[in-house]
Amino acid sequence: MKEDIRQTLSTQGRKEFEYKLEKPHCIVLDSAYSSMGRMIGLGACKNTGYTYYDGATLLESFDHNFNDEDVEKTDVRLKDHPMTKEEILEDMLTERIWDTYAAAVVEALHKGPCLIHDHTAKSVVERLGYSCVSVFTYSSDQMNQIKRARVSPRYMNEEDDRVILEAIKAENMIRRNHHAIFDRNEWGQRNTYDLILNTDILGRDMSIKILTDLMK
């Protein structure tokens, strides 16, 4: 006999159905390139009082002995093919940079509720003793990806869509390899995240609203 859901809707008071998410200390946000992830994360932080961190802002108040050119140099190594953590950290400059990022993440978490884009993982945050929700944003429309990529100064003068698509692929490979440094789960693997947002279906503002509700 099939279950009649109308007869099972009265679940008030049953603990199996009464779980309520408490406000997490940290949101870890990974995003596919051109999915508006950083924009959405920053918007949700402005709505909730969380502090927003990404590759640039993590290091703003943290002492380090490398510059933007050094970071760019390490990213060039990571854009062509998947690499293991051991392969990535064979380069001493990359290892030094990522040791600094790891220390900056610890400091950011200590300061208070925050959203961290692309430079840590839920497993790392929870090992440090903080509650965390992991989020991934992606774009399902290739033409939208191309249009948004052209907003970047890097690609705004590139007229060939094929070149843009290759650039998006390279940007995503960098993010994939970043992720491999601190987490065994594959970057972008949907079943490893708590929340997945298709920003072409939901749009920027609805995605911000969903994330804002999660952080309140």
Side-chain angles (χ1 to χ4, degrees):
M1 180 182 296
K2 292 184 178 180
E3 180 181 28
D4 185 347
I5 190 62
R6 294 170 298 180
Q7 304 303 316
T8 59
L9 287 177
S10 180
T11 58
Q12 190 70 29
R14 294 192 58 175
K15 64 180 181 179
E16 299 94 330
F17 302 92
E18 296 298 321
Y19 173 77
K20 294 182 180 179
L21 176 70
E22 294 184 6
K23 178 179 176 179
H25 185 88
C26 179
I27 302 293
V28 167
L29 173 63
D30 290 342
S31 65
Y33 192 76
S34 292
S35 68
M36 304 183 288
R38 287 182 294 178
M39 184 184 303
I40 289 164
L42 182 59
C45 285
K46 288 180 177 178
N47 290 340
T48 58
Y50 277 61
T51 303
Y52 172 84
Y53 296 101
D54 59 17
T57 59
L58 272 173
L59 301 179
E60 282 182 346
S61 59
F62 202 88
D63 290 335
H64 54 86
N65 58 349
F66 52 86
N67 54 38
D68 290 344
E69 288 73 22
D70 291 328
V71 175
E72 183 71 22
K73 189 185 301 182
T74 65
D75 282 351
V76 168
R77 289 182 58 241
L78 306 181
K79 72 177 184 178
D80 292 328
H81 59 87
M83 300 172 70
T84 66
K85 175 181 179 179
E86 291 71 26
E87 290 171 334
I88 295 166
L89 297 181
E90 281 179 357
D91 177 81
M92 293 182 64
L93 174 61
T94 304
E95 183 175 15
R96 188 167 80 246
I97 289 172
W98 279 90
D99 283 347
T100 305
Y101 276 129
V105 165
V106 172
E107 183 177 281
L109 290 166
H110 180 70
K111 287 180 178 178
C114 57
L115 181 147
I116 303 176
H117 179 267
D118 188 41
H119 284 71
T120 192
K122 180 177 180 177
S123 57
V124 174
V125 174
E126 290 184 334
R127 280 199 300 269
L128 292 168
Y130 299 93
S131 60
C132 181
V133 173
S134 59
V135 182
F136 184 74
T137 65
Y138 75 102
S139 163
S140 58
D141 189 312
Q142 200 171 73
M143 291 310 299
N144 282 341
Q145 295 172 33
I146 293 170
K147 291 174 184 176
R148 288 194 288 260
R150 285 200 171 100
V151 175
S152 168
R154 288 187 179 186
Y155 308 118
M156 62 189 310
N157 295 319
E158 179 54 62
E159 297 181 0
D160 190 333
D161 287 355
R162 292 170 298 179
V163 174
I164 297 289
L165 288 173
E166 285 301 310
I168 291 171
K169 182 179 178 181
E171 295 282 359
N172 283 332
M173 184 57 67
I174 292 169
R175 295 182 184 196
R176 180 266 176 209
N177 285 331
H178 282 180
H179 191 80
I181 295 173
F182 44 76
D183 194 65
R184 290 177 297 176
N185 291 320
E186 187 77 14
W187 176 87
Q189 186 177 330
R190 309 292 168 80
N191 65 348
T192 66
Y193 294 91
D194 299 317
L195 177 65
I196 311 292
L197 300 174
N198 182 342
T199 57
D200 284 326
I201 299 299
L202 297 171
R204 180 197 60 196
D205 293 345
M206 179 56 71
S207 297
I208 291 174
K209 182 180 185 303
I210 291 170
L211 195 51
T212 296
D213 288 345
L214 183 67
M215 295 159 65
K216 284 184 175 178

